[in-house]
Amino acid sequence: MRDGTIVVAGASLAALRGAEALRAGGFAGRLVLVGDEPHLPYDRPPLSKHVLTGEIAPGATTLPGVGALRAEWRLGAPAAGLDRAGRALLLAGGERLPFDRLLIATGARARPWPEAGAAALAGVHTLRGRDDAAALAAGLAARPGRVLILGAGFIGCEVASSIRALGLPVTVVDPAPSPLTAALGQVIGGFVAGRMEAAGIDLRMGAEVAHLEGGDGRVRRARLAGGGTIAADLVVVALGAVRNTEWLAGSGLDADEGGLSCDGACRALDAAGRPDDAVFAAGDVARFPHPVYDNRPVALEHWGNAVAQAAHAARAMLEGPEAAGPYAEMPAFWSSQFGLNIKSLGLTEGADAVAIVQGDPRSARFLAVYGREGRTIAAVAVNAGRWLPAYAGAIREGAPFPPITGGADQPHPDPVPPGLPAQAA
Ligand SMILES: Cc1cc2nc3c(=O)[nH]c(=O)nc-3n(C[C@H](O)[C@H](O)[C@H](O)COP(=O)(O)OP(=O)(O)OC[C@H]3O[C@@H](n4cnc5c(N)ncnc54)[C@H](O)[C@@H]3O)c2cc1C
């Protein structure tokens, strides 16, 4: 397909990179990007890092390449529905955008605090977009007496690191036994906990906030489920993400808060599992079968996945699903926090063992490999990103665990249980 109309729902990273790939692939027709935010595509990773520390202004995060794209933009214009039979995207303002192909890249949003009244108190923040980051930075500029962060996942820990770097007192609360437990397990999470405490974070693992309480319209304290309170005048709710799929209700597609199901060629699936040849998905919103993990459906929140999957979807749109083949990009993620540069390859989910195969946590430079049933499934490098690519092949092939690379500084690997949460049956 070289002509006609392609509409993209969502106007962020996957949308932009998908649109660029369409043009690079020779698409010469009409290209329309529809975004509910008023902004041109911008980058989210700096929002929890350099934007909060004041090194980058929220408005300076616009993605490179935006200006060069030959496209029409509908910004501040949420997609509200999808007429699949009529091949049209329906906008909240009433506009009907007919398409030959549609790329759905509506991503995810921050999971809000469940008590709506408390979530609306002044001083309670979530962080997903540029405007959230600007509001949070303004709240921090008022030098709150204590910042409370709910959730010790990647966003919660990065935000804690950035706010602590401003010299503010920070408490982090999470019911899990260690930070980053869901992604990295307690072994690596325990190492990160030590770094956080050394940086002066008041870390309350194994604790749960039951209620946020306010006074005069502003948050004042958190009440813990086990009793006791934590006084705080700024709260960051970092409880994970919800996929933006509600607007697809009634479209017949298989979509819920965990994502929009699609096949290996990024075609959206209907409730019966049949692909729609005109509707594609990419980025955080997409739930797809990963060939490296027995075609288990996965939904990633990784920058690199948004870029690679959008390019794959563009190829499938232009050349057909067979030409594109199954999407098999290795999941990869990075995070910076507390002086640590954490990079991962593969998925740790379901790992039954972890081994430090290079470096040493005591020097804050090491590489850990995760195994499942004797096979290598993931690797995580801490301040050792250069060592990581060497493990991609072992992960892709499911090589015996622990892999032996023969590195000179390789300690004798001694696998231990990784301390990941039990998997749902
Ligand atoms: C604070 C933060 C830090 C991060 N740091 C890292 C990191 O260090 N490393 C890493 O690998 N990843 C990181 N990520 C994840 C990475 O940014 C995401 O994976 C990436 O943004 C996904 O891109 P996307 O285009 O799929 O979705 P999104 O970026 O979520 O974009 C989707 C867009 O669609 C819009 N939209 C939603 N519904 C509609 C609708 N109905 N109509 C129109 N538009 C709609 C949304 O408002 C949004 O603008 C971070 C994310 C955040 C929030």
Side-chain angles (χ1 to χ4, degrees):
M1 186 179 143
R2 292 290 176 266
D3 294 306
T5 299
I6 296 182
V7 172
V8 184
S12 184
L13 180 64
L16 176 65
R17 296 297 178 239
E20 287 173 338
L22 286 166
R23 286 298 190 216
F27 178 66
R30 185 182 182 212
L31 186 54
V32 189
L33 282 83
V34 174
D36 61 356
E37 296 186 79
H39 310 296
L40 286 164
Y42 59 86
D43 217 12
R44 293 176 204 273
L47 301 181
S48 49
K49 307 173 186 84
H50 305 298
V51 169
L52 290 190
T53 53
E55 292 155 89
I56 298 179
T61 50
T62 301
L63 281 163
V66 170
L69 184 71
R70 283 173 295 120
E72 297 170 38
W73 298 91
R74 298 280 193 287
L75 297 177
L82 171 59
D83 173 3
R84 283 204 298 141
R87 290 200 177 178
L89 185 71
L90 314 175
L91 304 197
E95 191 180 358
R96 186 181 168 86
L97 276 175
F99 60 78
D100 297 295
R101 299 278 187 278
L102 172 69
L103 175 61
I104 295 177
T106 47
R109 62 182 182 276
R111 187 182 295 281
W113 180 247
E115 302 172 297
L121 288 169
V124 178
H125 296 261
T126 55
L127 180 56
R128 180 77 198 181
R130 174 188 276 185
D131 297 341
D132 301 331
L136 178 52
L140 296 170
R143 306 296 295 177
R146 176 157 294 275
V147 175
L148 172 63
I149 297 171
L150 308 185
F154 278 109
I155 303 282
C157 289
E158 288 184 1
V159 168
S161 173
S162 300
I163 297 179
R164 191 68 200 117
L166 297 173
L168 292 166
V170 178
T171 298
V172 177
V173 177
D174 193 307
S178 73
L180 308 176
T181 302
L184 305 184
Q186 290 174 55
V187 174
I188 308 303
F191 165 78
V192 174
R195 296 286 290 205
M196 293 175 79
E197 286 177 330
I201 299 285
D202 170 29
L203 189 59
R204 312 277 188 99
M205 299 310 302
E208 194 168 352
V209 169
H211 302 288
L212 293 177
E213 297 174 351
D216 301 328
R218 176 159 200 101
V219 70
R220 301 290 177 198
R221 74 194 71 80
R223 192 162 293 279
L224 296 172
T229 59
I230 299 170
D233 38 8
L234 194 149
V235 173
V236 183
V237 178
L239 299 178
V242 183
R243 265 74 187 175
N244 292 316
T245 57
E246 292 83 351
W247 66 278
L248 290 166
S251 69
L253 294 178
D254 180 27
D256 52 45
E257 74 159 53
L260 165 61
S261 298
C262 57
D263 69 5
C266 306
R267 290 178 300 182
L269 301 177
D270 69 12
R274 289 174 303 227
D276 186 324
D277 285 325
V279 181
F280 295 73
D284 283 13
V285 77
R287 177 171 52 204
F288 64 98
H290 206 299
V292 174
Y293 298 95
D294 303 323
N295 285 317
R296 171 160 59 86
V298 300
L300 304 175
E301 294 172 45
H302 299 173
W303 192 97
N305 175 63
V307 172
Q309 197 173 26
H312 196 88
R315 181 158 185 224
M317 287 167 124
L318 297 181
E319 297 173 25
E322 288 76 26
Y327 176 67
E329 182 84 2
M330 178 69 69
F333 184 89
W334 84 91
S335 171
S336 19
Q337 49 180 284
F338 300 103
L340 303 174
N341 182 275
I342 302 172
K343 289 188 172 178
S344 76
L345 267 185
L347 298 174
T348 59
E349 199 182 317
D352 53 29
V354 63
I356 311 280
V357 296
Q358 282 186 262
D360 190 335
R362 282 169 298 190
S363 64
R365 185 164 188 251
F366 63 95
L367 189 135
V369 177
Y370 292 74
R372 178 178 190 169
E373 295 168 0
R375 305 260 152 219
T376 301
I377 61 168
V380 172
V382 176
N383 289 338
R386 276 195 306 127
W387 295 340
L388 199 56
Y391 294 85
I395 297 168
R396 195 171 290 286
E397 291 150 22
F401 172 86
I404 306 297
T405 59
D409 55 353
Q410 184 174 20
H412 182 67
D414 188 11
V416 294
L420 284 156
Q423 273 192 299

